[in-house]
Amino acid sequence: MGPFVVHGEQTMWYFDSPHVIFGEEALSHLAQLNGRHACVITDRNIVRLGLAQLVIDQVTAAGLACTVFDEVEPEPSLQMVQRCAAVLAQHQPDWIIGLGGGSCMDAAKSAWLLYENPGIEPESVNPFDQYTLREKAKLIAIPTTSGTGSEATWYAVLTDTVEQRKVGIGTRGMLPDYAIIDPVMVMSLPPSITADTGLDALTQSIESYQSSWRNDFSDAMCLHAVRLIFQYLPRAYADGSNCEAREHMHNAAAIGGIGFGNSQATLAHCMGHALGVLFHVPHGRAVALFLPYTIEFTANGGDSRYVDIARALGLRADDEPIGAASLVTAVRDLERQLLQPLTVRDLGIDQTSFEHTLPELVGRAETDTQIATSQRIPDSAELRRLFDYAYDGRTVNF
Ligand SMILES: [Zn+2]
């Protein structure tokens, strides 16, 4: 992800991707593992749904011992990750399997780093420093939602429950060795989670195509992910048992994740993170809500390229402004089909508490790390207006 500066002036870029095993039966790759002991890092819901057992059966068939850590919370905490790392230290696995949504995979990446580097402080982890990884274990990520793309990135977000703040942890080595994209893992996903997570994949892909860190490699992934999501998300939402739609959506999330992991998300993520934390809105729902407004804002700056995305989707796209407008309409139409909120008011947040929180929303959004990679970076006053316009659904005309 992003440019790495060497020798002052030269800039070198990397493209990172896990080995991807995809399609029906992808899970059976686990039955071919060589090793002694696998530790599955997951949550209780995944165990209850029987998905952890599918993984255990394959790992056991490969002749490995298997330990399950099922204490990952929806917002994985530093404290839980440290407990998980202690379990890893006790069992000394040579395979670590992150199984679940973004939280479980982020927890697995972080616990793996702590297991390989005993005694390091998670807060001190810096993307530009070198850490030991893969001396004790390799990492497999198995997503059970089609959205976050965490299976394909080297970054993790944790919550410090003592200090009440988010802690980002990332170093390029934290990329999973394998991502197993098996549609069987998402067949029972309820419609609302299908929509929320699918729209996260869409927002990440559109933003990473527009980010100032975009590059030829990430562009290819992002553009195709957007195409697949528009084609298959409505079908996966309307009929969860549609195997074809589930499979393509599961692939799209990983493809978008590779694009995002080698570029960066932007403004809708900054605004969505702020709203999500302060009003407890699911991540994908929050970022997707802001996407049309931030497309308008970025296009108004005159230096966007939404026209490419509009063309890829077969929308009207004579020039950049028309392409951007077509994309905004298409995103909103998709959100309507998925019964998603289009404004902050639609979320049931009343005007008084919204206005009361506005300074903090702006403060959080403008200090979000992903603001820097936005193609057009708003100042505080513009951010305030953007939140305001998104409250009641006005067209962004500035
Ligand atoms: Zn996201």
Side-chain angles (χ1 to χ4, degrees):
M1 172 166 70
F4 286 78
V5 177
V6 236
H7 307 312
E9 292 193 353
Q10 238 184 321
T11 304
M12 176 163 72
W13 292 64
Y14 294 90
F15 178 81
D16 295 310
S17 168
H19 293 287
V20 177
I21 301 121
F22 60 97
E24 278 179 59
E25 306 289 323
L27 208 57
S28 62
H29 176 78
L30 293 173
Q32 302 165 25
L33 288 185
N34 287 316
R36 293 175 288 101
H37 193 137
C39 188
V40 179
I41 298 174
T42 189
D43 63 38
R44 292 202 181 92
N45 196 38
I46 299 294
V47 173
R48 192 177 54 76
L49 290 170
L51 298 178
Q53 194 58 47
L54 296 179
V55 169
I56 295 165
D57 290 346
Q58 297 289 337
V59 167
T60 315
L64 276 70
C66 190
T67 307
V68 177
F69 177 89
D70 67 358
E71 296 174 34
V72 180
E73 318 103 327
E75 294 189 35
S77 68
L78 268 179
Q79 291 74 13
M80 174 277 298
V81 163
Q82 267 150 341
R83 279 204 310 282
C84 181
V87 170
L88 297 178
Q90 185 193 339
H91 292 283
Q92 294 289 314
D94 48 3
W95 287 98
I96 294 171
I97 301 176
L99 169 69
S103 305
C104 293
M105 293 186 282
D106 281 7
K109 289 178 199 171
S110 311
W112 178 40
L113 184 75
L114 300 187
Y115 169 52
E116 300 254 1
N117 301 268
I120 59 161
E121 283 299 323
E123 296 93 328
S124 72
V125 174
N126 179 324
F128 300 99
D129 287 347
Q130 296 287 329
Y131 299 89
T132 303
L133 279 164
R134 301 181 175 78
E135 284 194 358
K136 294 182 179 171
K138 287 186 179 172
L139 180 68
I140 300 173
I142 308 178
T144 61
T145 61
S146 304
T148 69
S150 179
E151 65 274 20
T153 72
W154 49 255
Y155 199 72
V157 180
L158 305 178
T159 300
D160 184 337
T161 48
V162 177
E163 305 271 332
Q164 284 299 330
R165 63 191 174 92
K166 295 272 178 196
V167 180
I169 296 189
T171 166
R172 284 184 59 229
M174 266 166 68
L175 187 77
D177 292 283
Y178 296 92
I180 298 184
I181 314 299
D182 190 325
V184 77
M185 303 314 260
V186 289
M187 289 307 293
S188 57
L189 213 57
S192 67
I193 299 179
T194 302
D196 286 340
T197 52
L199 287 171
D200 184 24
L202 178 71
T203 308
Q204 285 172 182
S205 302
I206 292 178
E207 293 210 296
S208 301
Y209 188 77
Q210 183 62 39
S211 144
S212 58
W213 280 8
R214 72 199 185 207
N215 55 78
D216 287 344
F217 293 84
S218 61
D219 279 356
M221 308 307 278
C222 293
L223 212 50
H224 191 55
V226 172
R227 265 193 218 108
L228 287 173
I229 294 164
F230 267 97
Q231 194 174 351
Y232 291 104
L233 179 54
R235 298 185 204 174
Y237 176 81
D239 175 12
S241 67
N242 182 330
C243 300
E244 187 196 0
R246 287 293 198 192
E247 182 170 347
H248 284 294
M249 259 317 288
H250 214 32
N251 291 344
I255 293 168
I258 297 170
F260 162 61
N262 287 283
S263 175
Q264 188 57 276
T266 59
L267 191 51
H269 266 75
C270 303
M271 297 176 72
H273 286 153
L275 190 82
V277 168
L278 295 173
F279 290 99
H280 306 288
V281 183
H283 173 78
R285 197 177 303 173
V287 297
L289 187 153
F290 291 114
L291 181 63
Y293 304 94
T294 60
I295 292 174
E296 286 171 340
F297 175 75
T298 308
N300 291 344
D303 185 24
S304 61
R305 51 184 198 146
Y306 298 113
V307 70
D308 299 352
I309 303 177
R311 280 190 188 129
L313 294 172
L315 306 172
R316 201 179 152 200
D318 312 28
D319 58 20
E320 182 57 36
I322 293 173
S326 302
L327 183 60
V328 165
T329 305
V331 169
R332 288 223 169 94
D333 287 347
L334 176 62
E335 290 179 334
R336 270 189 209 99
Q337 271 188 67
L338 307 180
L339 304 180
Q340 290 281 309
L342 299 179
T343 68
V344 177
R345 180 186 277 137
D346 289 346
L347 287 165
I349 297 169
D350 69 81
Q351 189 135 13
T352 317
S353 52
F354 174 72
E355 277 168 13
H356 181 73
T357 322
L358 201 46
E360 199 178 346
L361 284 168
V362 171
R364 282 180 181 261
E366 68 187 349
T367 52
D368 194 288
T369 51
Q370 298 183 97
I371 197 102
T373 44
S374 301
Q375 189 63 30
R376 182 183 173 200
I377 302 175
D379 62 25
S380 306
E382 287 169 330
L383 253 178
R384 196 185 166 98
R385 282 177 82 191
L386 277 171
F387 274 115
D388 238 349
Y389 278 41
Y391 183 79
D392 43 23
R394 273 172 281 169
T395 303
V396 177
N397 54 4
F398 57 92

